[in-house]
Structure formats: C-alpha cells, structure tokens
C-alpha cells in the first residue's frame, strides 16, 4: 500500500460522514471550545457575587471559635455549594440543554438534576477535604506551600482513583459483566492475553447520560477496571468492539494512569506557585481583604486556579493525546484490526470534529483528530499487510 493509497483510504473513511454530519460536528465542537471561555466568565461573575455578598465573611465570623480544621472545611464546603447553585442555570444549559439539542444525550432533566445533586454532595465533601489540605499546607509550610502541593495532588488523585470505581462511579451508572455471547468471549480473550483479570471488564449503562460511543479505564491496582458503554456495545460490530477493547487494554497495560498522576502533580506545583503570586492582585480586583492563608478568600483562590488550569490545557491535552495514540498503537499491534478501529473512530466524529487543523488539535483536543487516528491505522495496515 503506497502513501497515496493510505491517503485515499483515510479519505474514504472520512467520506462515510455526510456534509451535514461534518457541519454538525464542527458546530458542536467549536461551541464546546467557546464554552471554555464562557465558563470562565460565569465563574468570574460567581466569584464577584460571593465576595461582594460577604457570605463567607459572615460564616467565618460565626465559626471563629471553632478549630482550624472544622472551620476551614465548613467554609470550603459551603462555598462549593453556593458556587454550584449560582452557576446552576449555566450548568443546565451547557451540560444538559445543549447536549439535548445536539442529540448527545437522552437523559431527562430530572435525572440530570438528581445526579448533579449527588455530584454536589460528593464535591462538597471531597473538595472540602482537599481544600482543607491546601490551607493546612499554607499554614504549616508558609511561602513554600506550593512546593508541597504536588504531593497533595498526587495523594488526592491516587485516592480518587482507588475510591472512584468502588464507591463513586456506581452511584451514577450500573456496571455489569458483559452478557454471555461471542462479544463477551472475544473481549475476555483479549483481556486474558493482556493479563487483565476477567472480573475487571464491564459493560455500563453510559446511555443514561450520553449517546456518545465511548469506553474507559478507571482505577488503579486491584480496583482498575475496563468499562465499555452500552452505546458502543449496541452500535459496534464484533470487530469494532474488539478493537476498542484493545485500545482500552492498552491504557491499562501501558500504565497511563501513573503518568497522569506524575504530570498532574508536577503541573500542580507550577499552578500553585503562580497562584501564590497572582492571588493578591485578583483579591484586590474582586474586593476581598482576605490574604492567601485565609479561607474567606476561597472564591478568588479557586478562580485563579481555574484560570491557570485553563491556560495549562495544552499541556494536559498533549498528555492525553499521546496516551490515545499509544493505546491505538497497542490495539493495532495486539488486535490487528485497523479497519475495525477506524470504523469505531468514525462513530466518535459525531461529537469531535474529525478534520481540525494542527493548531486547534494541539491547543484544544484531548484526542488526536479522527482523521489523524485513522491515517495512523491505515499506515499500520500498509506496513503489516
């Protein structure tokens, strides 16, 4: 197969999408990119409102005689609840209404709100504990707190990875063994060959929240799990399921979760360092007299963090794109179904525009474009057939 043939086969796969499909995917994807900036603006408005209302100042005054840990945790938890409620209309628009309009979800609004309520409780509890850890570091280590922040993030991420598959994810979805049949036999055969225990491969009702064709790996160690959405099971051929499973097994076998922990921990050090230097300026602009070590400044503190994390997205996106390429290569090498992998990838083009340019991909895409991934599959096919 020549380079021209690789290009033509890649184009043939893309051409299975109609002009209307491509236009819809372009509109949806571009809108998602704009929502990053809109979300930051909404966050700024919420921050301004909470600071100017003085609600955390009043709460801190009432908790003045409480111990540092309880006082800080309660302020953090209350802030998370208030902030979430303020931005709830925007969250409904971006997370449910817009998804409904583009056909990306069939979830009823009531179920979306119920699951959002569960998420809020968990975020207030776990987020409150994490922020307590941050303020404890600031209090105990002084101006070097940011240097210890990476260890705190690493511990937090590892804790969540251990906890999520067992206690958190089952609150939102039902995870079950793949039903008996040729699909189950094929998937478990691949898992066994890769050393993945059979009881760690599941199907989940991802269609409850999303109509997207998806699968994922979560957890670490004995809690690690490979899960394939029922959407993928319903829409994919047997070979496509095998190719997707091979991709997810690649994430598991290649230990991408550990790289994620390392990169996020190092990034956290840089983000915390910048936050320490930018916080005073933003605090003055938003109108709070709380210094960096005072939990009353949480709205400003978290806004600065969110701003810096948005600016750091090209770094985190690059990390995930590298992992996706490696997982694709693993699937191609160990499953050997380039056309099936391409067929599965085409199904994701509905919600991820497949023809984005290199700059857009580098800055905004968590996955390589579908076109680039299919081209890589066709190149592997040319080299191995």
């Amino acid at each position: 197969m020549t380079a021209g043939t690789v290009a033509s086969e890649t184009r043939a796969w893309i051409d299975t999408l109609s002009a209307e499909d491509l236009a819809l995917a372009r509109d949806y994807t571009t809108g998602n990119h704009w929502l990053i900036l809109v979300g930051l603006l909404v966050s700024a408005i919420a921050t301004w409102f909470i600071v100017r209302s003085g609600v955390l100042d009043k709460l801190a005054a009432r908790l003045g005689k409480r111990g540092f840990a309880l006082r800080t945790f309660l302020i953090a938890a209350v802030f998370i609840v208030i902030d979430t409620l303020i931005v709830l209309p925007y969250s409904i628009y971006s997370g449910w209404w817009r998804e409904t309009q583009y056909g990306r979800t069939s979830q009823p609004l009531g179920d979306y709100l119920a699951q959002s309520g569960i998420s809020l409780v968990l975020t207030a509890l776990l987020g409150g504990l994490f922020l307590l850890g941050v303020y404890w570091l600031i209090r105990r280590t002084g101006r070097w707190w940011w240097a210890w922040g990476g260890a705190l993030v690493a511990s937090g991420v590892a804790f969540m990875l251990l906890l999520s598959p067992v206690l958190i994810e089952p609150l939102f979805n039902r995870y079950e063994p793949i039903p008996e049949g040729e699909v189950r036999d094929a998937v478990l055969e691949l898992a066994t060959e890769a050393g993945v225990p059979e009881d760690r491969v599941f199907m989940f009702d991802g269609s409850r929240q999303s109509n997207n064709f998806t699968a994922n790996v979560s957890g670490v160690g004995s809690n690690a799990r490979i899960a394939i959405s029922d959407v993928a099971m319903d829409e994919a051929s047997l070979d496509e399921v095998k190719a997707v499973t091979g991709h997810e097994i690649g994430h598991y076998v290649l230990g991408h979760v550990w790289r994620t922990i390392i990169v996020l921990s190092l990034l956290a050090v840089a983000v915390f360092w910048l936050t320490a230097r930018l916080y005073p300026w933003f605090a003055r602009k938003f109108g709070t007299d709380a210094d960096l070590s005072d939990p009353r400044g949480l709205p400003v503190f978290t806004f600065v963090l969110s701003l810096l994390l948005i600016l750091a997205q090209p770094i985190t996106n690059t990390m995930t794109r590298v992992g996706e390429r490696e997982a694709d290569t693993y699937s191609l090498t160990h499953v050997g179904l380039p056309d099936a992998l391409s067929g599965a990838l085409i199904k994701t083009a509905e919600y991820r525009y497949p023809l984005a340019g290199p700059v857009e991909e580098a800055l905004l895409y968590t996955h390589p474009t579908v076109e680039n991934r299919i081209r890589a599959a066709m190149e592997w096919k040319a080299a191995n057939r």
Side-chain angles (χ1 to χ4, degrees):
M1 188 184 294
T2 65
T5 305
V6 167
S8 64
E9 289 211 6
T10 301
R11 173 49 57 183
W13 278 109
I14 297 298
D15 287 343
T16 61
L17 300 166
S18 68
E20 291 76 15
D21 291 334
L22 289 172
L24 190 64
R26 172 77 279 181
D27 189 43
Y28 177 75
T29 303
T30 301
N32 283 342
H33 296 161
W34 279 111
L35 286 179
I36 296 173
L37 295 179
V38 175
L40 183 64
L41 176 61
V42 171
S43 177
I45 294 171
T47 299
W48 180 88
F49 180 83
I50 294 173
V51 169
R52 295 307 176 102
S53 71
V55 62
L56 295 186
D57 297 327
K58 296 172 185 176
L59 178 62
R62 295 189 63 179
L63 297 173
K65 296 182 179 180
R66 303 289 182 179
F68 164 79
L70 179 61
R71 176 174 175 270
T72 302
F73 171 77
L74 290 177
I75 291 174
V78 169
F79 160 69
I80 290 171
V81 171
I82 294 174
D83 183 68
T84 301
L85 293 177
I86 290 174
V87 304
L88 181 60
Y90 171 74
S91 299
I92 292 174
Y93 164 75
S94 61
W96 178 79
W97 187 85
R98 185 172 181 273
E99 295 293 293
T100 301
Q101 299 306 300
Y102 279 95
R104 302 316 328 144
T105 185
S106 303
Q107 186 177 27
L109 177 59
D111 190 50
Y112 172 84
L113 292 174
Q115 293 209 322
S116 296
I118 296 172
S119 179
L120 174 58
V121 172
L122 292 173
T123 303
L125 175 61
L126 298 177
L129 290 173
F130 176 79
L131 290 169
L132 169 60
V134 171
Y135 281 99
W136 182 85
L137 283 177
I138 295 174
R139 186 178 185 183
R140 292 297 299 270
T141 62
R143 66 190 186 94
W144 292 100
W145 68 273
W146 52 268
W148 294 93
L152 178 65
V153 169
S155 301
V157 172
F159 176 75
M160 287 300 298
L161 286 171
L162 285 170
L163 188 67
S164 184
V166 179
L167 296 179
I168 296 179
E169 291 176 8
L171 295 174
F172 299 93
N173 292 99
R174 184 175 64 256
Y175 290 81
E176 299 176 336
I178 298 173
E180 296 287 344
E182 61 177 359
V183 172
R184 174 181 171 83
D185 293 342
V187 169
L188 293 186
E189 180 180 354
L190 291 172
T192 300
E193 291 174 356
V196 179
E198 291 187 1
D199 62 354
R200 305 313 303 160
V201 182
F202 295 88
M203 180 178 75
F204 71 104
D205 58 336
S207 58
R208 179 178 182 180
Q209 296 93 0
S210 174
N211 296 328
N212 293 348
F213 184 101
T214 185
N216 65 76
V217 172
S218 62
V220 293
S222 60
N223 284 341
R225 173 172 62 200
I226 296 171
I228 305 173
S229 171
D230 56 348
V231 176
M233 288 292 190
D234 290 342
E235 295 183 2
S237 67
L238 175 60
D239 279 351
E240 287 173 346
V241 171
K242 290 167 67 175
V244 170
T245 302
H247 173 95
E248 298 305 328
I249 288 175
H251 285 303
Y252 177 90
V253 172
L254 298 173
H256 288 160
V257 64
W258 301 112
R259 181 166 65 196
T260 298
I261 292 175
I262 292 170
V263 171
L264 291 181
S265 300
L266 294 175
L267 184 61
V269 173
V271 168
F272 285 147
W273 181 82
L274 287 170
T275 299
R277 279 141 186 83
L278 294 174
Y279 175 86
W281 186 87
F282 279 96
R284 289 193 300 271
K285 294 301 180 182
F286 279 110
T288 180
D289 62 355
D291 63 31
L292 182 66
S293 63
D294 190 338
R296 292 185 302 118
L298 253 176
V300 178
F301 181 84
T302 55
F303 176 78
V304 176
L305 281 179
S306 64
L307 171 62
L308 293 174
L309 289 174
I310 287 174
L311 294 176
Q313 279 190 357
I315 297 174
T316 55
N317 288 349
T318 297
M319 175 188 67
T320 56
R321 284 198 310 275
V322 169
E324 293 302 318
R325 291 191 191 99
E326 291 174 346
D328 281 351
T329 300
Y330 184 93
S331 177
L332 291 168
T333 303
H334 293 83
V335 183
L337 296 171
D339 290 306
L341 181 61
S342 298
L345 290 171
I346 280 292
K347 293 178 173 63
T348 70
E350 295 177 348
Y351 55 90
R352 192 180 293 127
Y353 182 62
L355 303 176
V359 174
E360 182 180 359
E361 180 187 59
L363 294 177
L364 299 168
Y365 271 55
T366 58
H367 293 58
T369 63
V370 169
E371 181 183 39
N372 287 339
R373 295 175 75 180
I374 291 176
R375 182 181 296 110
M378 294 302 97
E379 289 172 348
W380 185 92
K381 179 179 177 180
N384 293 273
R385 295 289 175 87

